[in-house]
Amino acid sequence: MESFNSFNELFLDVWNNGVFGINATDIIISLIIFLLFYLLRRLIARFILNKLTKLVNRTATQLDDAVIEVLDGPLKFFPVVIGFFIASSYLELSAENQSFMDLLNRSLITIFIFWLLHQLIIPFSFIIKNFESKISKPLVDWTLKGLKILVIVLGSVAILELWGIRVGP
């Protein structure tokens, strides 16, 4: 019976003091906030895409249709970024842990931005393909692949710079 009482005291101590000084209740609420946004990501993305599709259907160009098609992935990631931000904002962290959480939030936002830029290269290819009559098709394809690689490299460098890893030199 004494071991059960000591376990009960230990359990309550961990529940109240938790991890990194955050009680378990706040951690659970934060996880529920994040999971809610994660589970609703498709619904949110579909809602935004449907609104954008209604706007795009009013035009006759194919460029805006292509933009809508490539936004599906990044728009599903956007609620995850928002959910993580809100969940991490809910927690009362120490200054050191808060700076780490800020770096994670900045990294997620940077990933979202560069993923969006990477996806927007596909509709941009419609504009570049108009130059196929003036320059060769392999050069156009090489330019598009080069742009995609450039966006990936710049995004990686931006994230590494956020974490204090100097890539520039």
Side-chain angles (χ1 to χ4, degrees), residues 141-152:
D141 292 339
W142 182 85
T143 303
L144 292 173
K145 288 179 185 177
L147 282 173
K148 286 183 178 184
I149 291 171
L150 181 66
V151 168
I152 291 170

Side-chain angles (χ1 to χ4, degrees), residues 35-49:
L35 288 175
L36 182 68
F37 275 90
Y38 182 77
L39 292 174
L40 293 176
R41 67 189 169 94
R42 284 185 195 258
L43 183 66
I44 294 169
R46 287 288 164 219
F47 176 76
I48 294 170
L49 282 174

Side-chain angles (χ1 to χ4, degrees), residues 2 18 41 47 61 63 68 84 115 118 141 143-145:
E2 188 176 317
R41 67 189 169 94
F47 176 76
T61 62
L63 182 64
I68 296 298
F84 188 82
W115 186 8
H118 180 269
D141 292 339
T143 303
L144 292 173
K145 288 179 185 177

Side-chain angles (χ1 to χ4, degrees), residues 46-106:
R46 287 288 164 219
F47 176 76
I48 294 170
L49 282 174
N50 286 340
K51 293 290 181 186
L52 290 174
T53 303
K54 288 178 184 176
L55 289 172
V56 166
N57 285 339
R58 296 178 188 167
T59 65
T61 62
Q62 291 182 346
L63 182 64
D64 52 5
D65 295 334
V67 168
I68 296 298
E69 287 177 21
V70 299
L71 289 180
D72 188 46
L75 283 180
K76 286 180 184 172
F77 185 64
F78 187 62
V80 173
V81 173
I82 293 173
F84 188 82
F85 176 77
I86 292 172
S88 65
S89 297
Y90 178 78
L91 298 174
E92 294 179 20
L93 301 170
S94 65
E96 182 180 313
N97 292 331
Q98 186 62 46
S99 66
F100 177 76
M101 218 34 100
D102 288 343
L103 282 173
L104 279 176
N105 280 317
R106 288 177 185 271

